[in-house]
Amino acid sequence: MRVALLLILSILATSAQAEPLRVFASVLPIKTFVEKVGGEHVDARSMVRPGYSPHTYEPTPQQIAALASTRLYVRSGLPFEEAWMPRIRSANPSMEVLDARSGMALRTLEAHDHGDEAHGHDHHHHHGHEKDRHGHAHAADEPDPHLWTSPALATRIAERIRDRLSALDPANAADYARNYRAFAAELAALDGEIHALLDPLEHRRFMVFHPAWGYFADSYGLTQVPIEREGKEPGAKALAALIEQARREGVRVVFVQPQFDTRLAARIAEAIGGGVVAVDPLAADYADNLRAVAQQFAEALRR
Ligand code: ZN
């Protein structure tokens, strides 16, 4: 009798272990954080698939169906989520939602200081920015959703993931705590490396097409100068002002990200006799990618 009971219990325990917790994250870097903390106990997926823009992303029917067996969704306030959260929640009302932004001091996106207005020129939106109900993808007074580009904030997101996974799955809380500590140490080392690379730089402003690097810039005392504001490309007058500013500051590199059209950035780079360099804020290999990005920034600013 007792043996049979133990057998049943051990079968139950084994089947519980064999069924990892399904977690959806809005973007690949946050999926990586979930995997770092959750290890073998989670089946982590990214809602925005590789190569897609988080500004215009539309979940597939398969992804919506997969939400039915999902225990946790980690959101980060990206434009696609503003539009899709009601449907994501209603696909599985018992799924928990963790907002990566909760309790964090959010920066606002770079102020709109274009010399002219680009409103009404939607044919320029060939990079696929979808208008939300406010009429643009990122408003200047909107909180910046690209939290994860700072290793310090990535650590805090990982901490929240640890807490939520531990609450959902207390049996493995010790593993989540241990995995978190290892990941936090990895991020602290990365942070030190990036400081060593960027702290000595004299020039501290870099030009970027889409303003995804604000938290990274804040962490290391840099300033991003975005070409795109409020999700729009600049008009002719603003473009001329940006080129003038770039010349004045000796900018030689315009940073772009693979998910956006790079033609306008290439035109600016050509006008200043510089080049375009791609850096990806959405890479899945978080630490290695951020180290490479920091090297690219250092190279562009060392002059
Ligand atoms: Zn963005």
Side-chain angles (χ1 to χ4, degrees), residues 176-235:
Y176 300 137
R178 192 184 54 240
N179 293 345
Y180 165 77
R181 279 196 300 276
F183 186 45
E186 187 188 340
L187 292 175
L190 174 68
D191 183 56
E193 276 181 62
I194 298 178
H195 268 297
L197 217 84
L198 300 178
D199 287 355
L201 296 173
E202 189 190 332
H203 299 281
R204 312 201 68 85
R205 292 161 69 85
F206 62 93
M207 187 169 272
V208 63
F209 180 75
H210 181 72
W213 299 99
Y215 293 95
F216 181 93
D218 287 355
S219 290
Y220 302 106
L222 305 177
T223 303
Q224 70 175 350
V225 179
I227 293 168
E228 183 201 64
R229 307 277 167 103
E230 299 188 11
K232 292 177 193 305
E233 293 190 352

Short mmCIF file of all heavy atoms in Angstrom, two decimals, residues 176-235:
data_model
loop_
_atom_site.label_atom_id
_atom_site.label_comp_id
_atom_site.label_asym_id
_atom_site.label_seq_id
_atom_site.Cartn_x
_atom_site.Cartn_y
_atom_site.Cartn_z
N TYR A 176 15.47 28.76 -9.04
CA TYR A 176 15.30 30.11 -9.60
C TYR A 176 16.22 31.11 -8.89
O TYR A 176 16.80 31.98 -9.53
CB TYR A 176 13.83 30.55 -9.50
CG TYR A 176 12.88 29.64 -10.25
CD1 TYR A 176 11.66 29.25 -9.69
CD2 TYR A 176 13.21 29.14 -11.50
CE1 TYR A 176 10.79 28.40 -10.37
CE2 TYR A 176 12.35 28.29 -12.19
CZ TYR A 176 11.14 27.92 -11.62
OH TYR A 176 10.30 27.08 -12.30
N ALA A 177 16.34 30.95 -7.58
CA ALA A 177 17.20 31.87 -6.82
C ALA A 177 18.66 31.70 -7.24
O ALA A 177 19.37 32.69 -7.45
CB ALA A 177 17.05 31.60 -5.32
N ARG A 178 19.09 30.43 -7.40
CA ARG A 178 20.48 30.16 -7.79
C ARG A 178 20.75 30.67 -9.21
O ARG A 178 21.75 31.33 -9.48
CB ARG A 178 20.78 28.67 -7.67
CG ARG A 178 22.26 28.34 -7.76
CD ARG A 178 22.52 26.84 -7.75
NE ARG A 178 21.76 26.17 -8.79
CZ ARG A 178 20.85 25.20 -8.55
NH1 ARG A 178 20.63 24.79 -7.31
NH2 ARG A 178 20.20 24.64 -9.55
N ASN A 179 19.83 30.37 -10.13
CA ASN A 179 20.00 30.82 -11.52
C ASN A 179 20.05 32.34 -11.60
O ASN A 179 20.83 32.91 -12.36
CB ASN A 179 18.84 30.32 -12.40
CG ASN A 179 18.84 28.81 -12.55
OD1 ASN A 179 19.84 28.15 -12.25
ND2 ASN A 179 17.73 28.27 -13.02
N TYR A 180 19.18 32.99 -10.82
CA TYR A 180 19.16 34.45 -10.82
C TYR A 180 20.52 35.00 -10.36
O TYR A 180 21.06 35.92 -10.97
CB TYR A 180 18.04 34.99 -9.92
CG TYR A 180 18.24 36.46 -9.61
CD1 TYR A 180 17.95 37.43 -10.56
CD2 TYR A 180 18.79 36.86 -8.40
CE1 TYR A 180 18.20 38.77 -10.31
CE2 TYR A 180 19.04 38.19 -8.14
CZ TYR A 180 18.74 39.14 -9.10
OH TYR A 180 19.01 40.46 -8.85
N ARG A 181 21.04 34.42 -9.27
CA ARG A 181 22.33 34.92 -8.75
C ARG A 181 23.42 34.80 -9.81
O ARG A 181 24.23 35.72 -9.99
CB ARG A 181 22.73 34.15 -7.48
CG ARG A 181 22.03 34.66 -6.23
CD ARG A 181 22.73 34.15 -4.95
NE ARG A 181 22.76 32.70 -4.86
CZ ARG A 181 21.76 31.95 -4.37
NH1 ARG A 181 20.68 32.53 -3.91
NH2 ARG A 181 21.87 30.63 -4.33
N ALA A 182 23.44 33.68 -10.53
CA ALA A 182 24.46 33.48 -11.57
C ALA A 182 24.28 34.51 -12.69
O ALA A 182 25.25 35.11 -13.17
CB ALA A 182 24.37 32.07 -12.12
N PHE A 183 23.04 34.75 -13.09
CA PHE A 183 22.77 35.69 -14.18
C PHE A 183 23.09 37.12 -13.74
O PHE A 183 23.70 37.89 -14.50
CB PHE A 183 21.31 35.57 -14.63
CG PHE A 183 20.98 36.39 -15.84
CD1 PHE A 183 21.83 36.43 -16.95
CD2 PHE A 183 19.80 37.14 -15.89
CE1 PHE A 183 21.52 37.19 -18.07
CE2 PHE A 183 19.49 37.90 -17.01
CZ PHE A 183 20.35 37.93 -18.10
N ALA A 184 22.73 37.46 -12.50
CA ALA A 184 23.02 38.80 -11.99
C ALA A 184 24.54 39.04 -11.97
O ALA A 184 25.01 40.14 -12.30
CB ALA A 184 22.41 39.00 -10.61
N ALA A 185 25.31 38.00 -11.61
CA ALA A 185 26.77 38.13 -11.59
C ALA A 185 27.30 38.33 -13.01
O ALA A 185 28.21 39.14 -13.24
CB ALA A 185 27.39 36.89 -10.95
N GLU A 186 26.72 37.60 -13.96
CA GLU A 186 27.12 37.75 -15.36
C GLU A 186 26.85 39.18 -15.85
O GLU A 186 27.68 39.79 -16.53
CB GLU A 186 26.32 36.72 -16.20
CG GLU A 186 26.73 36.63 -17.64
CD GLU A 186 25.77 35.74 -18.46
OE1 GLU A 186 25.04 34.91 -17.87
OE2 GLU A 186 25.76 35.90 -19.69
N LEU A 187 25.68 39.71 -15.47
CA LEU A 187 25.31 41.07 -15.89
C LEU A 187 26.19 42.12 -15.22
O LEU A 187 26.53 43.13 -15.83
CB LEU A 187 23.83 41.33 -15.61
CG LEU A 187 22.83 40.53 -16.45
CD1 LEU A 187 21.40 40.80 -15.99
CD2 LEU A 187 22.97 40.86 -17.94
N ALA A 188 26.55 41.88 -13.96
CA ALA A 188 27.42 42.83 -13.25
C ALA A 188 28.79 42.88 -13.91
O ALA A 188 29.38 43.96 -14.08
CB ALA A 188 27.53 42.45 -11.78
N ALA A 189 29.29 41.71 -14.32
CA ALA A 189 30.58 41.66 -15.01
C ALA A 189 30.50 42.39 -16.35
O ALA A 189 31.39 43.15 -16.72
CB ALA A 189 31.01 40.21 -15.21
N LEU A 190 29.40 42.17 -17.06
CA LEU A 190 29.17 42.83 -18.34
C LEU A 190 29.14 44.35 -18.16
O LEU A 190 29.75 45.10 -18.91
CB LEU A 190 27.84 42.34 -18.94
CG LEU A 190 27.35 43.03 -20.21
CD1 LEU A 190 28.26 42.70 -21.39
CD2 LEU A 190 25.91 42.61 -20.53
N ASP A 191 28.43 44.79 -17.13
CA ASP A 191 28.32 46.21 -16.82
C ASP A 191 29.71 46.82 -16.59
O ASP A 191 30.01 47.90 -17.11
CB ASP A 191 27.43 46.39 -15.59
CG ASP A 191 27.20 47.86 -15.25
OD1 ASP A 191 26.73 48.61 -16.13
OD2 ASP A 191 27.49 48.25 -14.11
N GLY A 192 30.55 46.10 -15.84
CA GLY A 192 31.92 46.57 -15.58
C GLY A 192 32.72 46.68 -16.88
O GLY A 192 33.43 47.68 -17.09
N GLU A 193 32.57 45.68 -17.73
CA GLU A 193 33.29 45.70 -19.01
C GLU A 193 32.86 46.88 -19.86
O GLU A 193 33.70 47.53 -20.50
CB GLU A 193 32.96 44.42 -19.80
CG GLU A 193 33.79 43.21 -19.46
CD GLU A 193 33.35 42.04 -20.34
OE1 GLU A 193 33.48 42.14 -21.57
OE2 GLU A 193 32.85 41.05 -19.78
N ILE A 194 31.57 47.14 -19.89
CA ILE A 194 31.06 48.23 -20.74
C ILE A 194 31.52 49.58 -20.19
O ILE A 194 31.91 50.48 -20.94
CB ILE A 194 29.53 48.15 -20.89
CG1 ILE A 194 29.14 46.83 -21.58
CG2 ILE A 194 28.99 49.32 -21.70
CD1 ILE A 194 27.63 46.60 -21.73
N HIS A 195 31.51 49.71 -18.85
CA HIS A 195 32.03 50.95 -18.25
C HIS A 195 33.49 51.18 -18.64
O HIS A 195 33.88 52.28 -19.02
CB HIS A 195 31.91 50.89 -16.72
CG HIS A 195 30.63 51.48 -16.21
ND1 HIS A 195 30.28 52.80 -16.38
CD2 HIS A 195 29.60 50.91 -15.53
CE1 HIS A 195 29.09 53.02 -15.82
NE2 HIS A 195 28.65 51.89 -15.32
N ALA A 196 34.29 50.12 -18.56
CA ALA A 196 35.71 50.23 -18.88
C ALA A 196 35.90 50.69 -20.33
O ALA A 196 36.81 51.45 -20.65
CB ALA A 196 36.41 48.90 -18.64
N LEU A 197 35.00 50.25 -21.19
CA LEU A 197 35.07 50.56 -22.61
C LEU A 197 34.63 52.00 -22.90
O LEU A 197 35.21 52.69 -23.72
CB LEU A 197 34.15 49.60 -23.36
CG LEU A 197 34.59 49.11 -24.70
CD1 LEU A 197 35.51 47.94 -24.54
CD2 LEU A 197 33.40 48.70 -25.52
N LEU A 198 33.56 52.42 -22.23
CA LEU A 198 32.91 53.68 -22.60
C LEU A 198 33.30 54.86 -21.70
O LEU A 198 33.24 56.01 -22.14
CB LEU A 198 31.38 53.51 -22.61
CG LEU A 198 30.84 52.46 -23.58
CD1 LEU A 198 29.32 52.36 -23.47
CD2 LEU A 198 31.22 52.79 -25.03
N ASP A 199 33.66 54.61 -20.45
CA ASP A 199 33.96 55.71 -19.53
C ASP A 199 35.05 56.65 -20.03
O ASP A 199 34.95 57.86 -19.84
CB ASP A 199 34.31 55.17 -18.13
CG ASP A 199 33.08 54.64 -17.39
OD1 ASP A 199 31.96 54.78 -17.91
OD2 ASP A 199 33.26 54.09 -16.28
N PRO A 200 36.13 56.12 -20.67
CA PRO A 200 37.20 57.04 -21.07
C PRO A 200 36.85 57.93 -22.27
O PRO A 200 37.61 58.85 -22.57
CB PRO A 200 38.36 56.10 -21.45
CG PRO A 200 37.96 54.74 -20.99
CD PRO A 200 36.47 54.73 -20.95
N LEU A 201 35.73 57.69 -22.94
CA LEU A 201 35.45 58.43 -24.17
C LEU A 201 35.19 59.90 -23.92
O LEU A 201 34.51 60.27 -22.96
CB LEU A 201 34.23 57.81 -24.88
CG LEU A 201 34.40 56.39 -25.39
CD1 LEU A 201 33.06 55.88 -25.90
CD2 LEU A 201 35.45 56.32 -26.49
N GLU A 202 35.71 60.72 -24.80
CA GLU A 202 35.50 62.16 -24.68
C GLU A 202 34.18 62.55 -25.34
O GLU A 202 33.37 63.26 -24.76
CB GLU A 202 36.68 62.88 -25.34
CG GLU A 202 36.68 64.37 -25.09
CD GLU A 202 37.71 65.07 -25.95
OE1 GLU A 202 38.72 64.42 -26.31
OE2 GLU A 202 37.49 66.25 -26.29
N HIS A 203 33.96 62.06 -26.57
CA HIS A 203 32.70 62.33 -27.27
C HIS A 203 31.65 61.36 -26.75
O HIS A 203 31.92 60.17 -26.64
CB HIS A 203 32.87 62.15 -28.78
CG HIS A 203 33.87 63.08 -29.36
ND1 HIS A 203 33.58 64.39 -29.64
CD2 HIS A 203 35.17 62.91 -29.68
CE1 HIS A 203 34.65 64.98 -30.14
NE2 HIS A 203 35.64 64.11 -30.16
N ARG A 204 30.46 61.85 -26.45
CA ARG A 204 29.48 60.99 -25.79
C ARG A 204 28.10 61.01 -26.45
O ARG A 204 27.14 60.54 -25.88
CB ARG A 204 29.38 61.37 -24.30
CG ARG A 204 30.74 61.48 -23.61
CD ARG A 204 30.67 61.35 -22.12
NE ARG A 204 30.31 60.02 -21.71
CZ ARG A 204 31.15 58.99 -21.57
NH1 ARG A 204 32.42 59.13 -21.80
NH2 ARG A 204 30.70 57.82 -21.19
N ARG A 205 28.02 61.57 -27.66
CA ARG A 205 26.73 61.59 -28.37
C ARG A 205 26.80 60.72 -29.61
O ARG A 205 27.73 60.83 -30.40
CB ARG A 205 26.37 63.02 -28.77
CG ARG A 205 26.08 63.90 -27.56
CD ARG A 205 26.20 65.36 -27.93
NE ARG A 205 25.13 65.79 -28.83
CZ ARG A 205 23.93 66.19 -28.42
NH1 ARG A 205 23.65 66.19 -27.14
NH2 ARG A 205 23.04 66.58 -29.27
N PHE A 206 25.83 59.85 -29.76
CA PHE A 206 25.79 59.01 -30.96
C PHE A 206 24.45 59.16 -31.65
O PHE A 206 23.43 59.43 -31.01
CB PHE A 206 26.10 57.54 -30.62
CG PHE A 206 25.11 56.88 -29.69
CD1 PHE A 206 24.03 56.16 -30.20
CD2 PHE A 206 25.25 56.97 -28.32
CE1 PHE A 206 23.11 55.55 -29.35
CE2 PHE A 206 24.34 56.35 -27.46
CZ PHE A 206 23.27 55.65 -27.98
N MET A 207 24.49 59.01 -32.97
CA MET A 207 23.28 59.18 -33.76
C MET A 207 22.69 57.82 -34.13
O MET A 207 23.42 56.93 -34.56
CB MET A 207 23.61 59.98 -35.03
CG MET A 207 22.39 60.36 -35.84
SD MET A 207 22.80 61.56 -37.14
CE MET A 207 22.60 63.11 -36.24
N VAL A 208 21.38 57.71 -33.94
CA VAL A 208 20.73 56.42 -34.15
C VAL A 208 19.38 56.63 -34.85
O VAL A 208 18.71 57.64 -34.60
CB VAL A 208 20.58 55.68 -32.80
CG1 VAL A 208 19.69 56.44 -31.83
CG2 VAL A 208 20.07 54.26 -32.98
N PHE A 209 19.02 55.71 -35.74
CA PHE A 209 17.75 55.88 -36.45
C PHE A 209 16.57 55.78 -35.49
O PHE A 209 15.81 56.73 -35.31
CB PHE A 209 17.62 54.86 -37.59
CG PHE A 209 16.31 55.02 -38.33
CD1 PHE A 209 16.13 56.08 -39.20
CD2 PHE A 209 15.24 54.17 -38.10
CE1 PHE A 209 14.92 56.28 -39.85
CE2 PHE A 209 14.03 54.36 -38.75
CZ PHE A 209 13.87 55.42 -39.61
N HIS A 210 16.41 54.65 -34.84
CA HIS A 210 15.28 54.44 -33.92
C HIS A 210 15.79 54.50 -32.47
O HIS A 210 16.77 53.85 -32.14
CB HIS A 210 14.65 53.07 -34.20
CG HIS A 210 13.48 52.77 -33.33
ND1 HIS A 210 12.27 53.40 -33.47
CD2 HIS A 210 13.35 51.93 -32.28
CE1 HIS A 210 11.44 52.94 -32.55
NE2 HIS A 210 12.05 52.05 -31.82
N PRO A 211 15.13 55.28 -31.60
CA PRO A 211 15.69 55.53 -30.25
C PRO A 211 15.51 54.37 -29.28
O PRO A 211 14.81 54.48 -28.28
CB PRO A 211 14.91 56.78 -29.79
CG PRO A 211 13.60 56.66 -30.48
CD PRO A 211 13.88 56.02 -31.82
N ALA A 212 16.21 53.26 -29.55
CA ALA A 212 16.06 52.07 -28.70
C ALA A 212 17.11 51.99 -27.60
O ALA A 212 17.06 51.09 -26.76
CB ALA A 212 16.12 50.80 -29.56
N TRP A 213 18.09 52.93 -27.58
CA TRP A 213 19.24 52.79 -26.69
C TRP A 213 19.26 53.78 -25.54
O TRP A 213 20.32 54.05 -24.95
CB TRP A 213 20.53 52.88 -27.52
CG TRP A 213 20.62 51.80 -28.53
CD1 TRP A 213 20.31 51.89 -29.86
CD2 TRP A 213 20.98 50.43 -28.31
NE1 TRP A 213 20.46 50.67 -30.47
CE2 TRP A 213 20.88 49.76 -29.54
CE3 TRP A 213 21.39 49.72 -27.17
CZ2 TRP A 213 21.17 48.40 -29.67
CZ3 TRP A 213 21.68 48.37 -27.31
CH2 TRP A 213 21.57 47.72 -28.55
N GLY A 214 18.12 54.36 -25.21
CA GLY A 214 18.07 55.40 -24.18
C GLY A 214 18.53 54.93 -22.80
O GLY A 214 19.27 55.64 -22.12
N TYR A 215 18.09 53.75 -22.38
CA TYR A 215 18.47 53.26 -21.05
C TYR A 215 19.94 52.86 -21.02
O TYR A 215 20.64 53.08 -20.03
CB TYR A 215 17.59 52.07 -20.62
CG TYR A 215 16.16 52.48 -20.39
CD1 TYR A 215 15.20 52.36 -21.40
CD2 TYR A 215 15.76 53.02 -19.17
CE1 TYR A 215 13.89 52.74 -21.19
CE2 TYR A 215 14.44 53.41 -18.95
CZ TYR A 215 13.51 53.26 -19.97
OH TYR A 215 12.21 53.65 -19.76
N PHE A 216 20.41 52.31 -22.14
CA PHE A 216 21.84 52.01 -22.27
C PHE A 216 22.63 53.31 -22.15
O PHE A 216 23.59 53.40 -21.38
CB PHE A 216 22.11 51.33 -23.62
CG PHE A 216 23.54 50.94 -23.85
CD1 PHE A 216 23.99 49.67 -23.52
CD2 PHE A 216 24.45 51.85 -24.39
CE1 PHE A 216 25.31 49.31 -23.72
CE2 PHE A 216 25.78 51.49 -24.59
CZ PHE A 216 26.20 50.23 -24.26
N ALA A 217 22.22 54.33 -22.92
CA ALA A 217 22.91 55.62 -22.92
C ALA A 217 22.91 56.23 -21.52
O ALA A 217 23.94 56.71 -21.04
CB ALA A 217 22.25 56.56 -23.92
N ASP A 218 21.76 56.20 -20.84
CA ASP A 218 21.68 56.76 -19.48
C ASP A 218 22.64 56.04 -18.53
O ASP A 218 23.27 56.66 -17.68
CB ASP A 218 20.25 56.63 -18.94
CG ASP A 218 19.28 57.61 -19.60
OD1 ASP A 218 19.74 58.45 -20.41
OD2 ASP A 218 18.07 57.54 -19.31
N SER A 219 22.75 54.72 -18.68
CA SER A 219 23.60 53.94 -17.78
C SER A 219 25.08 54.30 -17.92
O SER A 219 25.83 54.19 -16.97
CB SER A 219 23.46 52.44 -18.06
OG SER A 219 22.20 51.98 -17.67
N TYR A 220 25.48 54.70 -19.13
CA TYR A 220 26.91 54.93 -19.37
C TYR A 220 27.23 56.38 -19.71
O TYR A 220 28.29 56.67 -20.27
CB TYR A 220 27.41 53.96 -20.45
CG TYR A 220 27.16 52.53 -20.03
CD1 TYR A 220 26.14 51.77 -20.61
CD2 TYR A 220 27.89 51.97 -18.98
CE1 TYR A 220 25.87 50.49 -20.17
CE2 TYR A 220 27.63 50.69 -18.53
CZ TYR A 220 26.61 49.95 -19.13
OH TYR A 220 26.35 48.69 -18.68
N GLY A 221 26.31 57.28 -19.40
CA GLY A 221 26.59 58.70 -19.59
C GLY A 221 26.71 59.10 -21.05
O GLY A 221 27.44 60.03 -21.39
N LEU A 222 26.01 58.40 -21.92
CA LEU A 222 26.00 58.76 -23.34
C LEU A 222 24.67 59.42 -23.69
O LEU A 222 23.71 59.34 -22.92
CB LEU A 222 26.17 57.51 -24.22
CG LEU A 222 27.39 56.61 -23.97
CD1 LEU A 222 27.33 55.41 -24.90
CD2 LEU A 222 28.69 57.38 -24.19
N THR A 223 24.60 60.07 -24.85
CA THR A 223 23.36 60.67 -25.32
C THR A 223 23.05 60.14 -26.71
O THR A 223 23.91 60.19 -27.59
CB THR A 223 23.49 62.21 -25.39
OG1 THR A 223 23.86 62.68 -24.08
CG2 THR A 223 22.17 62.86 -25.80
N GLN A 224 21.85 59.59 -26.88
CA GLN A 224 21.48 59.17 -28.23
C GLN A 224 20.78 60.33 -28.93
O GLN A 224 19.96 61.02 -28.34
CB GLN A 224 20.60 57.91 -28.21
CG GLN A 224 19.20 58.10 -27.67
CD GLN A 224 18.33 56.83 -27.79
OE1 GLN A 224 18.72 55.86 -28.43
NE2 GLN A 224 17.17 56.86 -27.17
N VAL A 225 21.13 60.51 -30.18
CA VAL A 225 20.47 61.53 -31.02
C VAL A 225 19.65 60.76 -32.06
O VAL A 225 20.20 60.24 -33.03
CB VAL A 225 21.51 62.44 -31.72
CG1 VAL A 225 20.81 63.47 -32.60
CG2 VAL A 225 22.41 63.12 -30.68
N PRO A 226 18.34 60.64 -31.84
CA PRO A 226 17.55 59.85 -32.78
C PRO A 226 17.20 60.62 -34.04
O PRO A 226 16.95 61.83 -33.99
CB PRO A 226 16.27 59.52 -32.00
CG PRO A 226 16.32 60.31 -30.74
CD PRO A 226 17.52 61.17 -30.73
N ILE A 227 17.20 59.90 -35.15
CA ILE A 227 16.76 60.48 -36.42
C ILE A 227 15.23 60.46 -36.44
O ILE A 227 14.58 61.42 -36.80
CB ILE A 227 17.34 59.67 -37.60
CG1 ILE A 227 18.85 59.85 -37.63
CG2 ILE A 227 16.68 60.08 -38.93
CD1 ILE A 227 19.56 58.89 -38.55
N GLU A 228 14.68 59.33 -36.03
CA GLU A 228 13.23 59.15 -35.99
C GLU A 228 12.71 59.69 -34.66
O GLU A 228 13.29 59.43 -33.61
CB GLU A 228 12.96 57.65 -36.10
CG GLU A 228 11.54 57.25 -36.15
CD GLU A 228 11.40 55.79 -35.73
OE1 GLU A 228 11.71 55.47 -34.58
OE2 GLU A 228 11.00 54.99 -36.57
N ARG A 229 11.63 60.49 -34.72
CA ARG A 229 11.00 60.97 -33.48
C ARG A 229 9.52 60.69 -33.56
O ARG A 229 8.93 60.86 -34.63
CB ARG A 229 11.20 62.49 -33.29
CG ARG A 229 12.64 62.96 -33.37
CD ARG A 229 13.39 62.80 -32.06
NE ARG A 229 14.82 62.98 -32.24
CZ ARG A 229 15.50 64.08 -31.89
NH1 ARG A 229 14.88 65.09 -31.34
NH2 ARG A 229 16.78 64.16 -32.10
N GLU A 230 8.95 60.29 -32.44
CA GLU A 230 7.53 59.95 -32.41
C GLU A 230 7.20 58.93 -33.50
O GLU A 230 6.13 58.96 -34.09
CB GLU A 230 6.66 61.20 -32.57
CG GLU A 230 6.85 62.21 -31.47
CD GLU A 230 5.85 63.35 -31.53
OE1 GLU A 230 4.88 63.26 -32.29
OE2 GLU A 230 6.05 64.32 -30.78
N GLY A 231 8.14 58.04 -33.77
CA GLY A 231 7.91 57.01 -34.77
C GLY A 231 7.84 57.50 -36.19
O GLY A 231 7.38 56.79 -37.08
N LYS A 232 8.32 58.73 -36.40
CA LYS A 232 8.25 59.29 -37.76
C LYS A 232 9.63 59.65 -38.25
O LYS A 232 10.49 60.05 -37.47
CB LYS A 232 7.41 60.56 -37.76
CG LYS A 232 5.95 60.36 -37.50
CD LYS A 232 5.27 61.72 -37.47
CE LYS A 232 3.88 61.62 -36.90
NZ LYS A 232 3.06 60.64 -37.60
N GLU A 233 9.80 59.56 -39.55
CA GLU A 233 11.02 60.06 -40.15
C GLU A 233 10.95 61.59 -40.19
O GLU A 233 9.86 62.15 -40.29
CB GLU A 233 11.17 59.50 -41.56
CG GLU A 233 11.41 57.99 -41.54
CD GLU A 233 11.79 57.45 -42.90
OE1 GLU A 233 11.73 58.21 -43.88
OE2 GLU A 233 12.14 56.27 -42.96
N PRO A 234 12.10 62.25 -40.11
CA PRO A 234 12.06 63.71 -40.13
C PRO A 234 11.69 64.25 -41.51
O PRO A 234 11.95 63.60 -42.52
CB PRO A 234 13.50 64.09 -39.77
CG PRO A 234 14.32 62.92 -40.16
CD PRO A 234 13.45 61.71 -39.98
N GLY A 235 11.11 65.43 -41.52
CA GLY A 235 10.86 66.12 -42.78
C GLY A 235 12.15 66.72 -43.30
O GLY A 235 13.21 66.61 -42.67
#
